[in-house]
Amino acid sequence: MYRPKRSKPRVLAIVLAGGEGKRLMPLTQDRAKPAVPFGGIYRLIDFSLSNLVNSGYLKVVVLTQYKSHSLDRHISQTWRMSTLLDNYIAPVPAQQRVGKSWFSGSADAVFQSLNILDDERPDYVVITGADNIYRMDFSQMVEQHIESGRGLTIAGLRQPLDLCSSFGVIDTDPEDSTKVRQFLEKPDRVDGLPDSPNEFLASMGNYVFSADALVEALYADASNAESTHDMGGDIVPMFVSQGDCGVYDFTYNEIPGSSDRDRNYWRDVGTIDMFHEANQDLISISPIFNLYNTDWPLYTGYTGLPPAKFVYGHHERLGHALDSIISPGVIISGGEVIASVLSPHVRVNSWSSVRDSVLFDGVNVGRNATVVRAIVDKYVKIDEGAQIGIDHEHDKARGCWVSEGGIVVVPKGVHITRE
């Protein structure tokens, strides 16, 4: 691939956002997983895109596929870059450029989009997922990758040994801790790290490739009939077998404004229970993940909304919220909200109670209603006196979902009656 000489390496970022997110149903019943609302005003993809932009990478393509309309709309309305400086964040749907098939895996998604690399002609390619909660400066990882001279560098997250069966495990060379010796997919057991025997390095699903090496690997993978065309399952082992794969330890990633408490925070929100727990991480006095770090801001698209409002001051009908995130446009009118996250335009009416819950945009909680340990999708109407999260069998009978951990999920637009 010909590239003109330049003083600064050219980096293209690719965000893989085509996942179906089956384990997050019914939140993904009507939207792609990266478009799921999170933390009141954000979408899951905002965290990945904010990391890339804050890292200085302003040429980004987002590969979409599954129910992508709301995701495409969010990107196009929110993530507008300077065309004068030739910067962009562009959603790219599955285009069937190499055959009449959709993406068969994460590696195939990039392979079917290689025309983007032909157009952009990058020196290096950052590839990341779109649905984890974390802060990361990718420029530090890219710098290590360039210095290593390897074809691929993968990001590793330190995890307790007993979680090894839940991750792709990075086994490093004893003589070079930056070189990957083996990549093990969800093994039963692994050895601990030399400097931390009770931990191992798990793959974060973030990669930096030298562009030529990536293109060569993708063509080889596409011609392999036995491949599943997965980035972690096929492409990474290919580089490992060639001795051409390095690892970047996320522990050493420095983020301006981070605290000891939220340093190196990373959350997979792949299930309803994980999603609920990650929202809860945001609302303590010293949050496990701090949304208020202005040195590494999180960007999103809500503008022009009125402030939140708390009304009714009578001691028997007091509108209040404790240990909660209350977004713009919310009205708490004589109800109580405790340990919850409320998205824009939610209304909580008199004598109602919302506890340990996440309410998406436009939810209306009627008078004397109760919502406990629930995730309520957009535009749900909860009638006066109705209860959610008290009787799970009753919840299921009304069309709600209940997770293994007992979190009730009310699908988008449902009307919850008292009966």
Side-chain angles (χ1 to χ4, degrees):
M1 182 187 296
Y2 168 75
R3 299 184 189 86
K5 291 184 179 180
R6 57 181 71 90
S7 59
K8 187 177 179 180
R10 191 178 181 97
V11 177
L12 173 69
I14 298 176
V15 180
L16 301 173
E20 187 173 349
K22 290 182 179 179
R23 295 184 301 161
L24 266 185
M25 289 288 283
L27 300 181
T28 52
Q29 190 167 298
D30 194 44
R31 59 171 75 89
K33 182 180 175 184
V36 172
F38 181 84
I41 61 173
Y42 305 97
R43 303 270 186 151
L44 290 179
I45 196 172
D46 290 332
F47 294 82
S48 179
L49 293 178
S50 294
N51 284 328
L52 291 169
V53 168
N54 286 327
S55 299
Y57 301 132
L58 305 178
K59 298 177 187 292
V60 184
V61 294
V62 181
L63 304 186
T64 66
Q65 179 168 253
Y66 173 82
K67 295 184 179 178
S68 63
H69 172 66
S70 63
L71 178 60
D72 294 338
R73 182 182 59 198
H74 175 70
I75 294 170
S76 62
Q77 290 180 344
T78 302
W79 290 92
R80 297 182 179 181
M81 312 300 283
S82 171
T83 55
L84 179 65
L85 301 177
D86 194 28
N87 300 325
Y88 58 85
I89 294 179
V92 179
Q95 303 175 74
Q96 298 186 341
R97 282 180 171 267
V98 296
K100 297 298 182 181
S101 63
W102 302 114
F103 299 151
S104 59
S106 54
D108 184 54
V110 182
F111 177 70
Q112 290 199 39
S113 306
L114 281 179
N115 63 294
I116 297 167
L117 271 70
D118 290 336
D119 294 340
E120 193 58 47
R121 300 185 181 278
D123 301 300
Y124 302 98
V125 181
V126 175
I127 298 179
T128 182
D131 46 28
N132 294 314
I133 307 303
Y134 66 108
R135 281 188 172 94
M136 181 174 181
D137 182 354
F138 283 97
S139 68
Q140 297 170 30
M141 182 178 174
V142 170
E143 182 178 348
Q144 178 185 302
H145 174 80
I146 294 172
E147 291 176 354
S148 76
R150 298 188 176 108
L152 166 64
T153 299
I154 58 180
L157 173 73
R158 296 191 176 211
Q159 291 286 290
L161 284 180
D162 58 0
L163 296 181
C164 67
S165 61
S166 301
F167 291 93
V169 174
I170 303 164
D171 177 36
T172 58
D173 189 323
E175 298 182 1
D176 182 357
S177 61
T178 68
K179 183 178 180 180
V180 180
R181 180 175 60 177
Q182 295 183 87
F183 185 78
L184 309 170
E185 190 64 36
K186 299 182 179 180
D188 293 330
R189 64 173 302 277
V190 294
D191 296 328
L193 297 171
D195 63 343
S196 183
N198 295 320
E199 293 182 311
F200 69 96
L201 283 175
S203 174
M204 298 173 65
N206 296 335
Y207 312 99
V208 178
F209 288 91
S210 298
D212 289 338
L214 172 62
V215 172
E216 182 179 344
L218 289 174
Y219 271 103
D221 178 72
S223 64
N224 181 1
E226 296 181 358
S227 174
T228 60
H229 310 300
D230 181 72
M231 200 62 74
D234 299 289
I235 301 298
V236 172
M238 187 186 304
F239 280 89
V240 172
S241 67
Q242 298 167 358
D244 199 23
C245 182
V247 60
Y248 175 78
D249 190 338
F250 181 57
T251 302
Y252 302 111
N253 197 253
E254 296 290 339
I255 295 295
S258 65
S259 66
D260 290 339
R261 185 164 172 79
D262 75 343
R263 176 184 170 86
N264 303 136
Y265 179 96
W266 182 90
R267 262 286 194 175
D268 177 12
V269 290
T271 68
I272 290 297
D273 292 324
M274 290 177 177
F275 180 85
H276 183 266
E277 290 169 6
N279 273 276
Q280 291 292 312
D281 286 346
L282 308 175
I283 59 179
S284 62
I285 295 174
S286 298
I288 302 173
F289 184 77
N290 181 19
L291 295 176
Y292 303 91
N293 180 357
T294 55
D295 293 329
W296 195 269
L298 298 167
Y299 299 103
T300 192
Y302 281 104
T303 57
L305 292 176
K309 183 168 70 169
F310 301 75
V311 293
Y312 283 118
H314 190 272
H315 70 279
E316 293 182 355
R317 185 165 49 157
L318 180 65
H320 66 282
L322 298 172
D323 299 329
S324 297
I325 288 176
I326 308 300
S327 299
V330 170
I331 297 176
I332 300 178
S333 178
E336 70 168 13
V337 177
I338 298 175
S340 296
V341 176
L342 272 55
S343 299
H345 300 303
V346 167
R347 181 162 185 137
V348 180
N349 288 290
S350 295
W351 303 294
S352 59
S353 176
V354 177
R355 292 173 177 259
D356 301 309
S357 296
V358 180
L359 275 55
F360 288 2
D361 301 53
V363 171
N364 190 305
V365 182
R367 290 185 170 204
N368 291 297
T370 303
V371 181
V372 180
R373 283 175 53 80
I375 300 170
V376 184
D377 209 332
K378 285 186 175 184
Y379 312 126
V380 168
K381 184 174 189 278
I382 302 170
D383 278 356
E384 181 174 351
Q387 295 183 331
I388 297 172
I390 304 299
D391 183 343
H392 287 174
E393 293 305 315
H394 188 205
D395 292 330
K396 291 177 184 178
R398 293 182 294 183
C400 300
W401 297 47
V402 180
S403 73
E404 291 183 4
I407 303 300
V408 178
V409 185
V410 185
K412 184 177 179 180
V414 168
H415 182 188
I416 298 295
T417 63
R418 185 171 183 173
E419 298 304 322

